[in-house]
């Protein structure tokens, strides 16, 4: 059975949009609305990809990414940050926290799936493209 994609996102509209697009393309999706729950779901399911909102309540996405990367089960799982405020310093912080790449909100529904499929393939060119 294919492993799911995990979305950690506290905004219901974004969560709905991301999961709708992914499910429409045949992916199984699991969701968490805050970081601790996301870390637990990741450990239990070893998702094929993790989409991680940076602005989360209680534990921010930088901290969540660092925690995810400490889990030996998750060392090969790509974490893609989703952020609405990727200023220069944030980009570096996102990547140094262990994320492979980031997408900026609002996402473009037309290109979202192509970007996700690049991340799923571990496509370096795609990742570099979306690093901005
Ligand atoms: Mn948020």
């Amino acid at each position: 059975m294919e492993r799911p994609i995990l979305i950690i996102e506290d905004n219901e509209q974004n969560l709905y949009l991301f999961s709708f697009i992914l499910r429409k393309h045949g992916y199984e999706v699991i969701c968490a609305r805050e970081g601790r729950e996301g870390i637990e779901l990741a450990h239990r399911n070893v998702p094929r990809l993790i989409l991680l909102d940076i602005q989360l309540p209680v534990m921010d996405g930088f901290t969540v990414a660092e925690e995810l990367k400490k889990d030996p089960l998750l060392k090969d799982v790509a974490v893609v940050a989703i952020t609405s405020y990727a200023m220069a310093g944030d980009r570096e912080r996102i990547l140094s926290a262990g994320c492979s790449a980031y997408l900026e909100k609002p996402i473009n529904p037309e290109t979202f799936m192509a970007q996700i499929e690049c991340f799923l393939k571990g496509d370096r060119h795609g990742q570099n493209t979306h690093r901005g």
Side-chain angles (χ1 to χ4, degrees), residues 66-87:
E66 286 165 0
E67 291 295 314
L68 290 168
K69 287 293 149 184
K70 285 182 196 163
D71 186 336
L73 282 180
L74 303 175
K75 68 181 195 317
D76 297 324
V77 178
V79 178
V80 176
I82 300 186
T83 177
S84 50
Y85 65 114
M87 295 175 287

Side-chain angles (χ1 to χ4, degrees), residues 95-112:
L95 299 175
S96 67
C99 297
S100 309
Y102 65 85
L103 294 175
E104 288 185 25
K105 287 191 277 194
I107 60 120
N108 179 349
E110 302 290 321
T111 56
F112 178 72

